[in-house]
């Protein structure tokens, strides 16, 4: 729909509806394009000069836009005022909660980062950095981190908070359900954040938020339909169809770690994904595979898996036929089984490999997986490495919070 057609359609609407449409159109342009003059708004919207003047006055009165500068110094005559969205109209927070850490980013209404901080949490005992043990100290330390980060960003209260964590998001209740693997302090943190800040709190699965970030900021910007395969502490997928996240009836769409696959010697259960795809591509499986190929993998945690994979990618650049290459080939075999299954069912056209392990493998892993999928499946599927990196969940959380805050603040009054 072009601006001119939208303007023509407004003529048949009521005055209040027309104003609401025009305001949202102008705010959307200011968000995407940055500061604009009234003349530029007139040109881009197709609205009349008086209509633009009215909406500018109306949006200024609502503290949604303000004069941010002038243009036209290079020509004769009066300078034109530049209008921009009031970025500090609301502060937002994105929270990335992992089994052993929490990262917080506070941003303005346009999504610009104002402050960011991280805090390690002992995954086994939920011990806070000061040595206090138990769930409550860990939650208190995490909430304090959010408070400190918000204070660094300014005095504006948090308007909306986006929180990403492992687990299923129940489409009915909006609650995270870990099906037995979600850390207790995660669920306690959600309740504590709600109680402490009073802001709107949005919860989402970590893989889904990573997909949001990759579509808006990363490698999937040209795709309306794709799947993000999450290789990290857990194994999962985010499904984006026609530009929208698809969670399934119970929130379980993308729980590909439970996918029964050959080569595991067992079957997954409702409570554990051992025997599923996770047993082929998870951190423990990667560590065992590395040791079989003579590579150093002291532990089977995610951090060790990242180090091994990065070292292998570096080694392959120097020796394309050595043990590192054979290890990458063997790991790509397992990942390709998951990608081929996704392609056969959904035909997304594109699979993005993300998560901590996927990010460590980068283009080298994605290329190997793509080659194998092309041999395994008649469904044409491009395999790409994620480009947002380790901050994908946090960036997705901020984007989710920003969209929700703008939707509320940009809505017409009444």
């Amino acid at each position: 729909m072009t601006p001119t057609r939208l303007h023509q359609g407004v003529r048949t609407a009521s005055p209040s509806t027309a104003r609401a449409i025009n305001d949202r159109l102008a705010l959307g342009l200011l968000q995407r394009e940055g500061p604009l003059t009234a003349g530029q708004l007139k040109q881009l919207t197709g609205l009349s000069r008086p209509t633009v003047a009215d909406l500018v006055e109306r949006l200024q009165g609502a503290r949604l836009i303000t004069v941010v500068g002038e243009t036209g110094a290079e020509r004769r005559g009066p300078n034109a005022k530049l209008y921009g969205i009031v970025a500090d109209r609301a502060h937002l927070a994105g929270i990335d909660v992992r089994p052993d850490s929490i990262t917080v980013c506070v941003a303005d209404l346009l999504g610009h980062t104002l402050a960011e901080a991280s805090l390690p949490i002992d995954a086994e005992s939920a011990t806070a950095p000061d040595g206090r043990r138990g769930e409550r100290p860990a939650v208190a330390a995490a909430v304090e981190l959010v408070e400190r980060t918000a204070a660094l960003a300014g005095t504006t209260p948090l308007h909306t908070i986006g929180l990403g964590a492992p687990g299923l998001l129940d489409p009915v209740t909006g609650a995270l359900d870990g099906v037995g693997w979600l850390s207790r302090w995660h669920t306690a943190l959600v309740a504590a954040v709600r109680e402490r800040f009073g802001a709107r709190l949005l919860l989402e699965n970590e893989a889904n938020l990573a997909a949001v970030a990759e579509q808006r900021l990363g490698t999937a910007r040209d795709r309306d339909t794709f799947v993000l395969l999450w290789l990290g502490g857990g194994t999962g997928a985010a499904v984006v169809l026609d530009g929208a996240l698809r969670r399934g009836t119970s929130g379980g769409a993308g729980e590909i770690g439970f996918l029964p696959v050959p080569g595991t010697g067992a079957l997954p259960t409702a409570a554990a994904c051992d025997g599923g795809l996770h047993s082929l591509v998870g951190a423990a499986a990667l560590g065992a595979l590395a040791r079989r190929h003579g590579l150093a993998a002291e532990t089977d945690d995610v951090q060790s898996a990242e180090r091994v994979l990065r070292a292998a990618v570096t080694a392959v650049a120097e020796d394309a036929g050595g043990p590192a290459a054979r290890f990458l080939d063997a790991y790509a075999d397992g990942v390709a089984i998951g990608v081929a299954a996704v392609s056969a069912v959904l035909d997304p056209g594109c699979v993005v490999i993300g998560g901590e392990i996927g990010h460590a493998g980068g283009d080298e892993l994605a290329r190997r997986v793509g080659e194998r999928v092309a041999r395994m499946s008649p469904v044409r599927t491009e395999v790409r490495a994620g480009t947002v990196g380790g901050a994908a969940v946090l960036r997705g959380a901020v984007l989710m919070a920003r969209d929700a805050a703008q939707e509320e603040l940009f809505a017409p009054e009444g």
Side-chain angles (χ1 to χ4, degrees):
M1 179 181 292
T2 65
T4 300
R5 290 177 182 173
L6 177 60
H7 180 45
Q8 290 171 345
V10 167
R11 293 174 183 169
T12 61
S14 68
S16 61
T17 300
R19 286 194 295 270
I21 293 174
N22 294 341
D23 289 355
R24 292 298 293 267
L25 177 59
L27 288 165
L29 285 168
L30 290 168
Q31 178 192 2
R32 293 190 301 272
E33 306 293 334
L36 297 169
T37 66
Q40 290 169 327
L41 283 171
K42 174 182 179 299
Q43 180 182 6
L44 291 170
T45 60
L47 299 171
S48 67
R49 190 178 300 276
T51 300
V52 169
D54 286 343
L55 75 83
V56 165
E57 182 178 358
R58 191 163 53 246
L59 294 176
Q60 282 185 295
R63 285 198 63 242
L64 289 174
I65 69 172
T66 189
V67 177
V68 296
E70 294 183 342
T71 186
E74 70 283 354
R75 59 176 174 78
R76 293 182 178 181
N79 294 343
K81 295 178 180 178
L82 277 169
Y83 297 96
I85 291 175
V86 180
D88 64 357
R89 178 71 164 76
H91 282 179
L92 324 165
I95 304 177
D96 178 7
V97 182
R98 304 296 175 95
D100 57 358
S101 68
I102 175 174
T103 304
V104 180
C105 175
V106 176
D108 62 24
L109 187 57
L110 291 176
H112 301 141
T113 297
L114 303 175
E116 188 170 323
S118 297
L119 178 73
I121 300 289
D122 189 304
E124 294 297 325
S125 60
T127 303
D130 60 4
R132 294 176 297 165
R133 298 175 67 84
E135 176 184 307
R136 288 186 179 180
V139 170
V143 170
E144 184 181 350
L145 179 72
V146 180
E147 291 177 331
R148 289 201 313 268
T149 310
L152 287 173
T155 58
T156 303
L158 292 178
H159 181 281
T160 305
I161 299 172
L163 188 150
L168 307 182
L169 182 73
D170 189 313
V172 177
T173 65
L176 282 169
D177 180 5
V179 196
W181 70 81
L182 188 64
S183 300
R184 287 180 57 194
W185 75 271
H186 287 189
T187 54
L189 176 62
V190 169
V193 168
R194 278 201 175 103
E195 180 180 354
R196 169 62 185 85
F197 295 98
R200 181 181 183 184
L201 179 61
L202 308 173
L203 307 179
E204 188 55 88
N205 169 267
E206 59 184 356
N208 286 346
L209 289 180
V212 170
E214 290 292 353
Q215 187 177 37
R216 304 274 285 277
L217 307 173
T219 192
R221 281 175 290 182
D222 62 335
R223 307 291 306 195
D224 287 332
T225 295
F226 71 100
V227 168
L228 182 135
L229 177 60
W230 179 270
L231 303 175
T235 302
V239 180
V240 179
L241 301 179
D242 299 323
L245 277 169
R246 306 295 180 180
R247 300 181 181 87
T249 302
S250 63
E255 287 300 321
I256 198 172
F258 286 85
L259 180 72
V261 294
T264 63
L267 289 174
T269 69
C273 55
D274 297 335
L277 180 66
H278 182 70
S279 294
L280 286 185
V281 301
L286 187 147
L289 188 64
R291 287 188 289 273
R292 288 201 296 272
H293 286 82
L295 305 181
E298 299 84 3
T299 60
D300 289 336
D301 58 18
V302 175
Q303 291 76 19
S304 178
E306 289 182 77
R307 289 193 295 269
V308 169
L309 205 48
R310 285 197 176 93
V313 169
T314 301
V316 164
E318 301 174 357
D319 183 5
R326 292 190 290 274
F327 158 70
L328 281 175
D329 285 339
Y331 185 63
D333 288 342
V335 176
I337 290 175
V339 174
V342 165
S343 299
V345 174
L346 295 177
D347 188 16
C350 177
V351 172
V352 175
I353 300 182
E356 300 95 337
I357 296 174
H359 178 54
D363 292 331
E364 192 65 37
L365 176 62
R367 179 180 64 79
R368 280 174 157 79
V369 172
E371 290 171 353
R372 284 155 177 76
V373 172
R375 295 195 295 266
M376 294 168 62
S377 173
V379 180
R380 193 173 296 176
T381 306
E382 182 181 4
V383 180
R384 301 178 182 178
T387 57
V388 181
V393 176
L394 189 66
R395 301 298 164 230
V398 171
L399 286 167
M400 180 175 66
R402 189 194 75 177
D403 290 349
Q406 289 183 353
E407 183 68 24
E408 178 181 327
L409 293 172
F410 292 177
E413 295 184 0

